[in-house]
Amino acid sequence: MALAGCDSSGSSGPEKGDDNGAGTDLPPPIYSESAVPEYTLPSLLTTADGDSVTTPSDWWNQRRPQLLRRFRAHVYGHLPPTPPTVRIEHHSSDPSALDSTALRRHVTLHFTDRPEGPALDLLVFVPTEAEGPVPIFAGLNARGNHTVLPSDDWPVRTIIDRGYGLVVAHYGDLFPDRPEGFNESVYQIHAAEHDTTGRTGSALSAWAWGFHRMVDYAAQTDAIDADRVIAVGHSRLGKAALWAGATDRRLAAVVDNASGCGGSALFRRRYGERIVHIDTRFPHWFRDRFSQYRENESALPVDQHQLLALMAPRPVLVSAKTQDRWADPKGMFVSIKHASPAWTVLGHQGLATRTLPMPDAPVLSRAGYHLRSGEHTLNLVDWGVFLDHADRHVRSSDPS
Ligand code: GCU
């Protein structure tokens, strides 16, 4: 069966001739629905003891902690410890940025007393017109804070005009994106007491930890509502945003843009990027044990619908792109569909459709899905949908 609404031309995958596996022994990706194997997803609402999860208390006290433990043990590893204090160093503040619509700040978060210790540089925009603390999108970027303002990925003016703030940081401050990056990562804050090899942590956990520190910053900043911080990330940083939301309930919502394999796409579909591809090329993104599931997805005790469910009942939006076969847009849909019962158990509406929506017809339920026409990017069209979803579920605190 062809993937309705999803194109076969173009993705971020190996056929593009970049380094996504070309010239290696990696298996070719599956790009045909007829080649997707039969699979059985691990149950969402059955505990490890075989009991059904039917009440919020079953979820909060039993099932959710079990699932979190499994994702730590088999996929992402442990996060760096929470620092006892986060010291904010203010560098500059411009109250008339973006034609005086925004206050722009540049600050550094310090996690230790050591001047050379790991730190996180934040670029912050807050609407000047706001009455009271604003909801804010928190994101990591892959190219540096100085690239944010002129970029398509971060339409700051639109975000500000819609009444939201934006805080961004460069992911390399947390864990440089290479296998040996652990030695320069935020794990070094506690290197003396913890695993010094990095094998039980991961870059994705360090990046997720960075989102948590942005909530810490929000909590110390009057102009921002720390109860309405929305984690947003594209691609590898969408994976990090999801893991951040799973591990810190202070994040009010998560927006996943094209996270694909290791993010919201189901491993067991094996469509597009698979564990063998991602873990061979980016072993540092995951913990050591994840490698044992290369070409053995069915042995993994979790799948990614369970990761999405860890967000429940908070709003989550999964945004996929029609031409992004490498990230498996349909797998991202099936995943949020199978996560949806977690919202229901907690008394909220989950995903408001059972069938893959048409392109460019976003489903903006509390657990939402959006399939945008086009390639593996983050752009203004996506942000329009993110803001609509946030207006409905974060700004207005719609209880549904
Ligand atoms: C590669 C990788 C993906 C990842 C993407 C990105 O394509 O295989 O898993 O999402 O890079 O972060 O841009």
Side-chain angles (χ1 to χ4, degrees):
M1 187 184 78
L3 174 50
C6 294
D7 200 335
S8 57
S9 59
S11 76
S12 58
E15 80 281 9
K16 287 199 106 178
D18 60 15
D19 67 347
N20 283 357
T24 71
D25 293 334
L26 296 176
I30 294 174
Y31 282 142
S32 142
E33 281 298 318
S34 59
V36 170
E38 294 275 317
Y39 60 88
T40 306
L41 289 179
S43 171
L44 180 63
L45 296 181
T46 310
T47 67
D49 297 331
D51 298 328
S52 294
V53 173
T54 56
T55 65
S57 136
D58 294 342
W59 175 258
W60 294 119
N61 299 327
Q62 293 187 53
R63 190 58 179 149
R64 192 176 190 281
Q66 273 169 5
L67 290 173
L68 258 184
R69 277 197 296 276
R70 286 185 177 171
F71 277 104
R72 269 195 214 104
H74 298 275
V75 185
Y76 304 111
H78 70 85
L79 272 63
T82 304
T85 55
V86 172
R87 183 171 63 82
I88 302 174
E89 181 185 0
H90 293 271
H91 298 290
S92 63
S93 181
D94 174 3
S96 52
L98 305 176
D99 301 326
S100 297
T101 59
L103 166 67
R104 179 177 56 202
R105 283 190 185 139
H106 175 205
V107 305
T108 300
L109 304 187
H110 295 277
F111 311 114
T112 68
D113 296 337
R114 304 191 299 272
E116 78 292 357
L120 189 63
D121 281 336
L122 302 185
L123 177 62
V124 188
F125 295 90
V126 176
T128 41
E129 292 283 288
E131 291 168 13
V134 291
I136 192 162
F137 285 90
L140 293 176
N141 65 75
R143 289 190 289 269
N145 288 349
H146 60 287
T147 66
V148 164
L149 206 44
S151 81
D152 290 341
D153 307 19
W154 305 101
V156 185
R157 185 63 196 259
T158 302
I159 296 167
I160 291 291
D161 287 350
R162 296 276 299 256
Y164 293 80
L166 177 69
V167 50
V168 290
H170 181 238
Y171 77 147
D173 284 2
L174 298 156
F175 194 120
D177 195 358
R178 45 180 193 273
E180 64 284 6
F182 178 79
N183 297 327
E184 294 164 45
S185 74
V186 285
Y187 282 101
Q188 297 306 319
I189 298 172
H190 293 272
E193 304 110 85
H194 292 275
D195 164 27
T196 52
T197 63
R199 297 183 60 76
T200 63
S202 69
L204 282 169
S205 279
W207 299 333
W209 183 94
F211 281 97
H212 302 175
R213 304 293 70 84
M214 289 194 261
V215 183
D216 294 344
Y217 169 73
Q220 293 189 48
T221 307
D222 291 345
I224 301 171
D225 183 349
D227 291 332
R228 291 185 294 168
V229 180
I230 305 163
V232 56
H234 170 59
S235 208
R236 69 198 66 187
L237 297 171
K239 309 179 210 294
L242 289 170
W243 181 228
T247 46
D248 191 341
R249 287 169 55 198
R250 294 178 306 162
L251 282 164
V254 175
V255 177
D256 150 26
N257 195 68
S259 64
C261 182
S264 54
L266 292 174
F267 290 124
R268 279 167 174 74
R269 272 175 49 83
R270 303 179 198 174
Y271 186 103
E273 185 173 30
R274 292 180 56 181
I275 296 175
V276 64
H277 302 121
I278 199 166
D279 191 60
T280 304
R281 295 177 57 225
F282 307 105
H284 56 293
W285 289 3
F286 303 92
R287 66 162 297 165
D288 50 356
R289 192 179 299 151
F290 188 57
S291 304
Q292 75 193 47
Y293 305 108
R294 292 180 181 183
E295 299 195 75
N296 193 16
E297 286 86 351
S298 55
L300 183 66
V302 290
D303 213 323
Q304 299 304 86
H305 62 306
Q306 297 173 325
L307 177 72
L308 293 175
L310 290 172
M311 246 55 73
R314 292 166 291 161
V316 61
L317 178 65
V318 170
S319 181
K321 320 298 154 197
T322 53
Q323 294 174 21
D324 190 11
R325 297 183 303 162
W326 185 237
D328 189 9
K330 181 174 175 181
M332 291 169 65
F333 170 74
V334 182
S335 188
I336 187 72
K337 181 171 112 174
H338 286 286
S340 185
W343 274 262
T344 316
V345 162
L346 297 172
H348 291 266
Q349 186 196 19
L351 182 69
T353 181
R354 303 290 300 164
T355 52
L356 183 69
M358 294 300 289
D360 309 311
V363 177
L364 295 179
S365 40
R366 209 169 159 89
Y369 179 84
H370 166 222
L371 179 61
R372 196 245 302 141
S373 295
E375 295 193 350
H376 180 79
T377 53
L378 169 60
N379 66 24
L380 188 57
V381 175
D382 296 316
W383 273 99
V385 177
F386 302 170
L387 288 157
D388 288 347
H389 191 255
D391 278 356
R392 194 174 292 190
H393 300 291
V394 179
R395 176 189 287 290
S396 72
S397 298
D398 177 349
S400 63

